[in-house]
Amino acid sequence: MTYRILVTDGVDAEGVSVLAAEPALAVDEVPTLPSDELLARIGAYDALVVRSATRVSSGLLRAAPRLAVVGRAGVGVDNIDVGLATELGIAVINAPAGNTTAVAELFFGSVLSLLRHIPRADQSLREGRWEKSAFLGSELKGRALGVVGLGRIGGEIAVRAHAFGMTVVGYDPYVGDPRLHALRVRRAATLDDLLGEATVLTIHTPPTDETQAMIGAREIARLAPGSIVVNLSRGGMVDELALADGLRRGHLAGAVLDVYSKEPLSADHPLLSMPNVVLTPHIGASTVEAQRSVSVEVCQAVRDALLSGELSRSINAASVVNGSWADVRPALLLTRQLAAVGRALLASRGARAIDRIDVSSGDALAGAGEALLASAALGVLAPVVANERLNLISARALSTARGIALSVTAGEALGEAGIESAAENRGATYGVAVRLTSGRHEMTVAGVAHPEAAPRITRIGAFHVDVQPRETLLILTNRDVPGVIGHVGMALGSAGVNIAEYHQARLAQGGEALAAVAVDGSVEDSLRHGLLALPDVLSATVIPLPIE
Ligand code: NAD
């Protein structure tokens, strides 16, 4: 199968070559297209890679039945309707890390420009003057840098600030002490504390309700006279009118802005007429290296999403998966398999409409609850819903829309859910139990998905089993009498079906027994009928399983 990818907006060639190198990917590169032209073409594509010029609107997404991935070579996804993409099961992937250095370096470039009056000195010289004494600057050394938000960019700035001989104090309630220690940043307990210490204040937070207008007149007043304020993050976090006022009154010595509450900046913006500011037109990420790096970063992620269903770098799947993707991935697949087994067994009893999905997991998977739930929903829905968009991202929304109640618990619910056999205890913290309810019927299927061992199904209803899921799981119930295993083995063998594992379980001697038979390949319906005709076999359910 070949996936078609449309790349636009002049995404850097190095990333495009990552896509073009794959035989299974066909890449069309176009300049930024008018929206009607893009709308007419998008139906043919499985993925779209943009920068910021193309608007990936709801209309465009709805006109793209094949679209599985939208890649944005950059950080901001304001030009993409992420809400609708999530609803439609389209992964949205950005490149959050690629421009960190570019912004950190712009910080020092623009702050030094401000302190040494570089733009004005340059201008004056070009205008024929030699005003050596007019540009008396000041130094970074010895100043206290106050960083709000110690994520990627705030952290890189803190690291470099030490080289300039600055002291660094930080305010970020969402990062732990080890990171602050590693960055040699002293923690301010509150934003007010930070404002009381910093003489260079810089903001590196994402735009949230909390950070909106975070620095206003009150905060500026708390800064020591002669301080400077820097915003290279997003417009709106610093109140620009309050900033202009602080500068006009001489309370602030200067300001540096790369982002504004309204972009582009209007010609009558009060900051434009002030001498002691350095203003740049949102160029934080605009370096050759950053453009290359975000392009490669996003194109690799788009390639992996298309070719191996790897959604760990998708911003809307990332909200589903919380934790290390590599650790969680086997558990997600197992959960989907457990749900598929439960669904098939309920269906074999005539219980087809699932009302509830309850997932319980061990402690090691506590952070992945939502993703486990999505996987269980996927296992339940995949065999019955004709929706190309069904995936980890859309599964929960689709389940809810179909009236299926979803719940997930971690840790203590495990024993109750049935993780208690010897095999299960080996990796109990990676145990998962999926309980499906359909009217008065209930079915719990459980297993263990330790990241370094093959996943095992360890419980089916009341029966303890221990099998590694393969392409098909055959579940037989039979009377607990001698000879059944031999008959079943013969029947499968003569039909050319290779048994990978056969686990027979019973509740009491002479009662009903259950066999979980993992087989490579598929099991035809005629063979199932053949098995049902064997003496003492009571039921035979053939369950094709997802294996990746
Ligand atoms: P990040 O997610 O790595 O870091 C953000 C940090 O802010 C996190 O550590 C988080 O804990 C912290 N934070 C969140 N809410 C906070 C609050 N209320 N108070 C204090 N701290 C809070 O993000 P990043 O990659 O460092 O980017 C930072 C900002 O820079 C973002 O807004 C991003 O959009 C912007 N950015 C701008 C440009 C540009 O061209 N100027 C380029 C890249 C990124």
Side-chain angles (χ1 to χ4, degrees), residues 38-102:
L38 181 60
L39 200 73
R41 296 185 63 157
I42 194 69
Y45 291 97
D46 302 285
L48 172 67
V49 183
V50 301
R51 287 174 65 211
S52 56
T54 293
R55 223 182 120 238
V56 185
S57 62
S58 58
L60 187 72
L61 292 172
R62 288 196 195 282
R66 288 175 54 165
L67 201 65
V69 186
V70 176
R72 155 79 166 103
V75 180
V77 287
D78 305 352
N79 56 324
I80 300 169
D81 187 336
V82 179
L84 183 65
T86 307
E87 214 173 284
L88 295 175
I90 300 170
V92 178
I93 293 175
N94 66 347
N99 49 30
T100 302
T101 306

Side-chain angles (χ1 to χ4, degrees), residues 74-78 95-100 102-104 106 147-156 170-176 179 191 203-212 214 231-235 237 257-259 263 280-286:
V75 180
V77 287
D78 305 352
N99 49 30
T100 302
V103 182
L106 180 66
V147 184
V148 183
L150 284 149
R152 279 169 286 235
I153 295 170
E156 289 298 318
Y171 171 67
D172 187 333
Y174 305 106
V175 301
R179 177 165 171 78
L191 179 59
I203 322 295
H204 299 285
T205 53
T208 64
D209 287 349
E210 249 178 38
T211 60
Q212 179 64 26
M214 188 183 223
N231 187 14
L232 308 180
S233 59
R234 288 294 195 89
M237 294 184 206
L257 296 187
D258 184 48
V259 290
E263 295 179 10
T280 46
H282 205 146
I283 58 166
S286 301

Side-chain angles (χ1 to χ4, degrees), residues 423-463:
E424 289 161 337
N425 282 337
R426 278 205 304 272
T429 60
Y430 282 93
V432 181
V434 176
R435 186 172 70 222
L436 303 181
T437 310
S438 173
R440 57 193 174 77
H441 296 277
E442 209 177 271
M443 174 58 65
T444 298
V445 186
V448 177
H450 195 281
E452 278 144 30
R456 316 286 298 172
I457 296 179
T458 52
R459 186 184 186 100
I460 296 173
F463 297 91

Side-chain angles (χ1 to χ4, degrees), residues 144-148 169-171 186-203 213-230 237-238 251-252:
L145 174 66
V147 184
V148 183
V169 54
Y171 171 67
R186 200 160 41 73
R187 184 190 289 285
T190 63
L191 179 59
D192 273 1
D193 288 351
L194 182 96
L195 297 170
E197 291 188 49
T199 57
V200 178
L201 174 72
T202 187
I203 322 295
M214 188 183 223
I215 306 299
R218 193 190 77 84
E219 289 71 26
I220 289 171
R222 271 196 73 80
L223 286 166
S227 296
I228 68 174
V229 173
V230 182
M237 294 184 206
V238 176
H251 178 65
L252 294 178

